[in-house]
């Protein structure tokens, strides 16, 4: 493989890079060496992911060489030997940023929007000469292989049932993961999500906890970027970002994700379903206490350490009722448009329900224990989605240090600027007409109100990320322009910016309209013509002629799936499919793995 020297770092690249690829890798290295953030745009097809991986891993190897050089120099006696040893390693040894030991080498956190995109990135890594220790993080929904956990309807129920089985050591997949130490063997293998699940099934190991164990030793961690932007997910996956290099690939969706992960809508149905669960739980435990039990605690047979007092459940119910009442008490205009208030109003509203910075820890602990206690149960009242949503909401509201002018009891960063509170009628759901309630018997209830807490600044989540102590943040995609506007929205400095040209020259591009097929018939996707035999036949003939002269295949876009399906159906029926397949394979994406002959 060609070796390219860029900014004092030798990069192994699979082939001789284009000028725009060298420029891209140089900017990546600039971010890493200067410990600054960067926004790097490079058009689709310019090998962006390959450039990114090669440059980042080359820089990390450069630092590893520097550590080796220092260790050798320190063992060698005499200043002359020290100077000679250091100079023989070149720039690697003289870098003032050299870590003290191998364990201090910065981890690379590589994030993309979906796991399919991460799988593609891992595939690109396999094409390089670099073999770092790799870990890919996923959810239990993707990685769990326990039959009982997998069949749970919601992800949060999977989480809590998994935790219950792990705590009681009743999951043999998890137990095997602890007993069989395969991390060292697997750390040298580049595995994606499917590989982890396959290895888990082969060795009866839990892929989810196996990936968490691999994370401790990994040089590069692949994960979806909501795991980074959502503070709850960061905590759940124990992601330590101090000193790491954080890369957001396909970052054109980061702005939207930043706002969505920091926002919520709390509906009357959420509160009502949570109250239903608490009502039934109180009734169940009260009956158990009346039947002669000496204490008013409940525990799970699978997890004897899980317990709460009836008083704690009753307090939690009171909090939900007060929150429901506080939201309902907000006066709305008569036109059903709702009312909008400053972001700081959320703390006033929550304080009326006794949800504050001081009480949030106890509330979250009680919610977590109840949800875990009910995990795996079946029945009409065991849906804990409402309680889980309340837990998530509390963590969003009380997520960071107090903003200027906000009391310490009302924690929330920049709420007056980043957020708005909107309360509006619940037009999507009707409140349950009746609800079993031993303490508050109200048979009929009016339509409720939705509490919305909306973040209007992607910079809110990005500042929180930087606050974790990251070394550099790199945003990269094929479409980020205008870069200056994106940098302003993110509200963190981006000293390094790049808008790369495409590798294809103007002489290699032709854009035009083909109005007629080879038989003279008009080609049109107009509604009254798109499905006519004449148009479909002529389009098939045109593609056949083009395929004969264009090397290495065609990529054909249709205006919609129905048009694509109808075209393929017609071509199969009239033998066009066989003729095209004879020229080269034709693949239909994304709904089919095969070509015309499925």
């Amino acid at each position: 493989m060609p070796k390219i020297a860029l900014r004092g770092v030798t990069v192994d690249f699979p082939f001789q890079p284009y000028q725009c690829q060298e420029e891209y890798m140089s900017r990546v290295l600039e971010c890493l060496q200067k410990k600054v953030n960067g926004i790097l745009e490079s058009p689709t097809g310019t090998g962006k992911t390959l450039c990114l991986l090669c440059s980042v891993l080359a820089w990390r190897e450069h630092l590893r060489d520097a550590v080796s050089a220092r260790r050798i120099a320190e063992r060698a006696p005499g200043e002359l030997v020290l100077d000679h040893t250091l100079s023989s390693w070149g720039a690697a040894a003289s870098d003032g940023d050299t870590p003290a030991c191998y364990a201090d080498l910065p981890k690379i956190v590589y994030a993309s929007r979906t796991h399919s995109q991460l799988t593609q990135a891992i595939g690109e890594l396999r094409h390089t000469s670099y073999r770092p220790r790799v870990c890919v993080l996923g959810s239990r929904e993707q990685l769990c292989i326990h039959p009982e956990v997998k069949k749970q309807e919601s992800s949060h129920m999977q989480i809590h049932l998994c935790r219950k089985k792990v705590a009681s050591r009743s999951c043999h997949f998890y137990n095997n993961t602890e007993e069989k130490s395969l991390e060292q063997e697997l750390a040298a293998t580049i595995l994606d999500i499917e590989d982890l699940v396959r290895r888990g099934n082969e060795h009866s190991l839990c892929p989810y906890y196996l990936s968490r164990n691999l994370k401790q030793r990994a040089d590069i961690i692949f994960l979806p970027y909501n795991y980074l932007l959502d503070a709850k997910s960061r905590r759940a996956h124990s992601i330590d970002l101090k000193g790491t290099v954080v890369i957001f690939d396909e970052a054109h969706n980061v702005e939207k994700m930043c706002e969505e992960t920091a926002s919520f809508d709390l509906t009357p149905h959420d509160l009502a379903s949570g109250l239903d669960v608490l009502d039934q739980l109180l009734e169940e435990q009260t009956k158990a206490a009346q039947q002669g039990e000496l204490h008013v605690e409940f525990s799970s047979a699978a997890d004897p350490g899980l317990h709460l007092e009836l008083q704690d459940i009753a307090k939690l119910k009171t909090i939900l009722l007060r929150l429901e009442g506080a939201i309902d008490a907000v006066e709305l205009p008569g036109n059903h448009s709702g009312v909008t208030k400053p972001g700081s109003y959320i703390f006033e509203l929550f304080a009326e329900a006794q949800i504050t910075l001081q009480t949030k820890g106890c509330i979250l602990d009680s919610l977590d224990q109840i949800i875990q206690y009910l995990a795996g149960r079946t029945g009409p009242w065991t849906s804990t989605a409402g309680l889980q949503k309340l837990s998530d909401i509390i963590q969003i509201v009380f997520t960071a240090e107090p903003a200027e002018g906000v009391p310490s009891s009302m924690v929330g960063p920049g709420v007056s600027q980043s957020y708005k509170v909107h309360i509006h009628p619940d037009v999507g759901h009707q409140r349950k007409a009746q609800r079993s309630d031993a303490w508050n018997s109200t048979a009929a209830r009016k339509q409720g109100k939705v509490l919305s807490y909306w973040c209007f600044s992607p910079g809110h989540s990005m500042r929180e990320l930087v606050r974790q102590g990251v070394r550099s943040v790199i945003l990269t995609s094929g479409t980020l322009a205008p870069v200056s506007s994106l940098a302003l929205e993110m509200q963190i400095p981006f000293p390094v910016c790049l808008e790369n040209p495409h590798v294809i020259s103007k002489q290699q591009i032709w854009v035009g309209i083909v109005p007629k097929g080879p038989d003279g018939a008009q080609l049109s996707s107009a509604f009254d013509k798109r499905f006519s035999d004449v148009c479909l036949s002529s389009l098939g003939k045109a593609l056949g002629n083009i395929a004969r002269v264009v090397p290495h295949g065609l990529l054909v876009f249709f205006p919609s799936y129905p048009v694509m399906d109808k075209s393929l159906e017609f071509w199969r029926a009239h033998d066009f499919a066989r003729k095209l397949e004879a020229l080269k394979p034709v693949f239909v994406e994304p709904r089919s793995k095969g070509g015309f002959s499925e």
Side-chain angles (χ1 to χ4, degrees):
M1 290 188 176
K3 295 183 182 294
I4 303 99
L6 299 169
R7 297 183 61 89
V9 177
T10 300
V11 181
D12 283 355
F13 206 65
F15 47 82
Q16 192 61 41
Y18 292 98
Q19 179 60 40
C20 68
Q21 291 174 327
E22 287 194 17
E23 180 65 22
Y24 183 91
M25 290 189 283
S26 293
R27 295 302 179 92
V28 172
L29 292 171
E30 182 180 354
C31 292
L32 302 177
Q33 291 171 337
K34 293 182 177 180
K35 298 185 182 180
V36 297
N37 307 322
I39 296 178
L40 310 178
E41 182 188 73
S42 195
T44 302
T46 53
K48 168 177 53 65
T49 301
L50 190 63
C51 292
L52 192 57
L53 291 169
C54 288
S55 54
V56 169
L57 293 172
W59 169 77
R60 200 173 185 280
E61 284 198 357
H62 179 83
L63 288 184
R64 182 181 292 276
D65 289 345
V67 174
S68 300
R70 175 171 289 176
R71 286 193 167 190
I72 292 172
E74 288 172 350
R75 291 172 187 169
E79 187 175 344
L80 292 177
V81 178
L82 177 65
D83 290 342
H84 174 75
T85 306
L86 288 173
S87 61
S88 68
W89 284 85
S94 58
D95 192 341
D97 190 33
T98 306
C101 60
Y102 295 122
D104 292 336
L105 289 170
K107 285 184 182 288
I108 310 301
V109 180
Y110 190 104
S112 196
R113 188 170 63 88
T114 65
H115 272 291
S116 62
Q117 291 171 338
L118 291 174
T119 298
Q120 292 173 4
I122 292 171
E124 292 286 353
L125 177 58
R126 292 188 178 116
H127 294 150
T128 73
S129 63
Y130 298 100
R131 289 298 176 264
R133 292 173 295 186
V134 171
C135 165
V136 56
L137 294 181
S139 65
R140 287 173 174 85
E141 187 176 3
Q142 296 160 318
L143 291 171
C144 180
I145 58 176
H146 193 289
E148 187 179 348
V149 176
K150 283 180 67 177
K151 73 180 183 181
Q152 297 299 309
E153 294 182 358
S154 62
S155 60
H156 81 268
M157 290 301 287
Q158 288 181 337
I159 291 169
H160 287 281
L161 182 56
C162 170
R163 288 177 181 172
K164 179 186 286 188
K165 289 186 174 296
V166 166
S168 62
R169 300 198 64 80
S170 58
C171 175
H172 69 279
F173 298 108
Y174 172 78
N175 297 340
N176 290 342
T177 304
E178 280 199 327
E179 294 165 6
K180 298 179 183 178
S181 182
L182 293 180
E183 289 87 0
Q184 206 160 6
E185 174 190 336
L186 296 178
T189 310
I190 299 177
L191 303 175
D192 58 24
I193 287 286
E194 292 181 358
D195 295 328
L196 276 172
V197 173
R198 186 171 60 254
R199 293 295 182 96
N201 283 312
E202 288 173 357
H203 299 282
S204 291
L205 300 173
C206 172
Y208 177 77
Y209 280 99
L210 182 60
S211 72
R212 289 173 71 102
N213 292 345
L214 290 171
K215 174 171 64 72
Q216 306 306 320
R217 299 185 180 187
D219 302 322
I220 181 168
I221 301 169
F222 291 89
L223 43 70
Y225 52 57
N226 62 298
Y227 284 24
L228 292 178
L229 298 173
D230 187 345
K232 303 187 301 296
S233 293
R234 283 202 305 269
R235 288 190 291 268
H237 290 88
S238 303
I239 299 172
D240 181 9
L241 294 176
K242 188 174 182 180
T244 60
V245 174
V246 176
I247 296 168
F248 289 95
D249 198 359
E250 305 300 339
H252 50 275
N253 287 306
V254 165
E255 288 176 279
K256 182 180 178 182
M257 183 66 72
C258 283
E259 294 175 346
E260 287 181 352
T261 55
S263 305
F264 66 78
D265 295 300
L266 180 64
T267 69
H269 175 74
D270 296 327
L271 290 171
S273 65
L275 284 164
D276 279 346
V277 171
L278 296 177
D279 285 343
Q280 295 291 340
L281 196 55
L282 280 167
E283 183 179 343
E284 173 191 290
Q285 299 304 315
T286 301
K287 286 180 180 178
Q290 290 172 349
Q291 289 172 359
E293 295 191 7
L294 297 177
H295 54 80
V296 287
E297 294 181 347
F298 64 91
S299 62
S300 162
D303 184 2
L306 180 65
H307 67 277
L308 276 179
E309 294 184 357
L310 283 175
Q311 183 182 359
D312 295 325
I313 308 172
K315 284 180 180 178
L316 198 56
K317 178 188 172 181
T318 301
I319 288 172
L320 264 68
L321 287 171
R322 286 182 175 176
L323 181 58
E324 183 181 53
I327 297 171
D328 284 343
V330 177
E331 293 186 5
L332 303 183
N335 58 4
H336 304 291
S337 61
V339 61
T340 302
K341 294 180 178 290
S344 56
Y345 179 71
I346 194 74
F347 303 106
E348 298 177 29
L349 203 61
F350 274 33
E352 291 186 40
Q354 296 183 332
I355 305 174
T356 65
L357 177 62
Q358 288 71 30
T359 63
K360 73 154 188 171
C362 292
I363 295 171
L364 290 173
D365 183 59
S366 297
L367 288 168
D368 186 68
Q369 291 200 49
I370 290 171
I371 295 168
Q372 188 159 322
Y373 173 74
L374 296 173
R377 281 201 188 187
T378 56
W381 60 273
T382 54
S383 173
T384 55
L387 296 179
Q388 182 64 51
K389 189 169 185 179
L390 180 62
S391 175
D392 294 342
I393 283 170
I394 292 173
Q395 293 180 73
I396 289 174
V397 172
F398 300 99
T399 190
E401 298 300 320
E404 186 178 351
V406 178
S408 60
S409 60
M410 300 179 176
V411 175
V415 289
S416 59
Q417 297 180 3
S418 300
Y419 280 94
K420 292 294 181 183
V421 174
H422 186 65
I423 301 173
H424 51 99
D426 181 23
V427 295
H429 297 89
Q430 292 292 329
R431 178 74 60 86
K432 290 182 179 180
Q434 294 183 340
R435 184 172 69 230
S436 173
D437 193 336
W439 278 261
N440 181 17
S441 56
T442 305
R445 292 178 178 268
K446 61 181 180 179
Q447 182 186 23
K449 298 168 185 173
V450 178
L451 169 64
S452 296
Y453 188 56
W454 294 332
C455 179
F456 290 94
S457 170
H460 169 79
S461 295
M462 197 57 65
R463 289 196 310 270
E464 278 301 299
L465 189 70
V466 171
R467 197 176 292 178
Q468 307 303 309
V470 300
R471 177 190 178 103
S472 297
V473 176
I474 297 176
L475 305 182
T476 185
S477 182
T479 51
L480 292 176
V483 168
S484 58
S485 173
L486 177 62
L488 195 63
E489 285 285 322
M490 291 300 172
Q491 297 179 15
I492 62 173
F494 286 97
V496 179
C497 294
L498 173 68
E499 294 183 60
N500 237 346
H502 209 287
V503 294
I504 298 174
S505 65
K506 292 182 179 179
Q507 290 74 23
Q508 295 174 286
I509 301 174
W510 177 78
V511 179
I513 297 172
V514 180
K516 295 180 180 181
D519 55 1
Q522 184 181 6
L523 299 178
S524 173
S525 61
F527 182 77
D528 59 339
K529 297 178 180 178
R530 63 176 65 170
F531 296 138
S532 70
D533 290 355
V534 173
C535 185
L536 291 173
S537 175
S538 188
L539 179 60
K541 293 173 183 176
L543 286 175
N545 288 348
I546 295 170
R548 288 187 182 91
V549 296
V550 175
H552 310 306
L554 302 176
L555 179 62
V556 181
F557 292 92
F558 291 83
S560 67
Y561 277 123
V563 174
M564 182 179 76
D565 293 340
K566 189 70 175 178
S567 300
L568 295 177
E569 179 186 341
F570 179 87
W571 295 337
R572 290 189 185 103
H574 294 79
D575 210 28
F576 286 99
R578 185 183 59 79
K579 294 175 182 177
L580 283 172
E581 281 283 0
L583 294 171
K584 53 180 63 68
V586 179
F587 295 94
V588 180
E589 296 288 354
R591 295 191 295 178
S592 170
K593 293 182 180 178
F596 286 123
S597 52
E598 294 178 341

